[in-house]
Amino acid sequence: MSDTVCVYCSSSDDIDDQHFAVAETMGRALAEGRHRLVYGGGQVGLMGRLAEAVHEQGGSVVGVIPEALRDKEGVAYEVADEMVVTGTMQERKAEMYSRADAFVALPGGFGTLEEFMEVLTLKQLGYHRKPLVLVNTGGFYDALIRFFEQLYEEGFARRRHGGLYYLANDPSDAMAYLDEYEAPQAA
Ligand code: AMP
């Protein structure tokens, strides 16, 4: 059971509607499961839709945003239950990392990939044993998984580390995984 779930997702508004529908379902599912959302604090793209959906379902939203983004008009989700303002992007990631019991990535761009890769690398190195989930809306992450396969085949990563994250078909699959997750024993 994960009390606080960190969700990484796209800040873009120029993406297919299916992704907004999934962000909304994810937000509702988090609130229904009584999980607090911690996320990048934006009202843009999937981030905004996700946070609104958590609130619509009576859940709690914690945003973590760097000063520079907070000061840009129309970026921050002003009605978050708590908004943590950090000096830098690096501090923002560290704050989200320390507050979260689990990490979920919906489809996203460079920012989302970077955030997810960091928590995956930290788990690979044994810094944490928290659950990690990629939500593979419409096969969005298939190409990334194929690239991971290349990494294993060419010896750049260990195949067993592919078990450090879960590839979910949709938010309900992701939530079921989080609810049943048992942390692996320390090596
Ligand atoms: P991207 O996938 O490149 O759209 O980046 C989204 C991720 O990076 C989110 O999970 C946020 O933590 C962070 N991020 C990028 N852009 C913004 C923004 N405009 N407002 C808040 N967070 C952002």
Side-chain angles (χ1 to χ4, degrees):
M1 164 71 180
S2 308
D3 290 333
T4 299
V5 177
C6 178
V7 179
Y8 306 127
C9 60
S10 178
S11 58
S12 173
D13 286 310
D14 301 325
I15 54 180
D16 194 273
D17 286 350
Q18 67 170 326
H19 296 299
F20 288 90
V22 170
E24 182 171 333
T25 308
M26 187 78 228
R28 286 177 181 274
L30 286 172
E32 281 161 7
R34 307 237 173 278
H35 304 287
R36 185 184 303 110
L37 168 68
V38 63
Y39 84 121
Q43 66 165 7
V44 288
L46 299 186
M47 304 174 79
R49 194 67 211 99
L50 172 77
E52 283 165 10
V54 170
H55 269 160
E56 281 160 16
Q57 212 58 26
S60 170
V61 174
V62 179
V64 185
I65 197 159
E67 231 169 342
L69 280 178
R70 192 262 326 255
D71 294 344
K72 274 194 188 168
E73 208 183 316
V75 171
Y77 184 64
E78 306 289 351
V79 294
D81 300 288
E82 184 184 351
M83 187 65 85
V84 183
V85 181
T86 64
T88 65
M89 287 289 277
Q90 285 82 358
E91 285 163 18
R92 185 251 282 265
K93 262 194 304 172
E95 186 72 28
M96 292 198 288
Y97 172 68
S98 66
R99 284 176 174 246
D101 302 298
F103 302 90
V104 173
L106 299 180
F110 295 140
T112 301
L113 290 176
E114 189 255 339
E115 291 167 334
F116 189 80
M117 286 304 145
E118 179 169 295
V119 289
L120 178 56
T121 306
L122 290 171
K123 192 171 182 183
Q124 173 182 273
L125 294 173
Y127 282 93
H128 73 87
R129 293 186 284 156
K130 300 172 186 178
L132 308 179
V133 181
L134 288 170
V135 179
N136 197 25
T137 309
F140 181 83
Y141 282 114
D142 287 352
L144 183 68
I145 303 304
R146 279 199 300 276
F147 184 58
F148 286 177
E149 192 58 40
Q150 181 183 337
L151 298 183
Y152 309 141
E153 277 171 16
E154 295 187 16
F156 287 98
R158 298 204 174 127
R159 188 174 295 280
R160 68 184 164 86
H161 287 151
L164 295 176
Y165 69 88
Y166 178 67
L167 188 68
N169 292 323
D170 52 37
S172 78
D173 188 14
M175 296 311 298
Y177 176 77
L178 294 185
D179 286 342
E180 284 160 24
Y181 182 78
E182 283 183 29
Q185 295 302 311

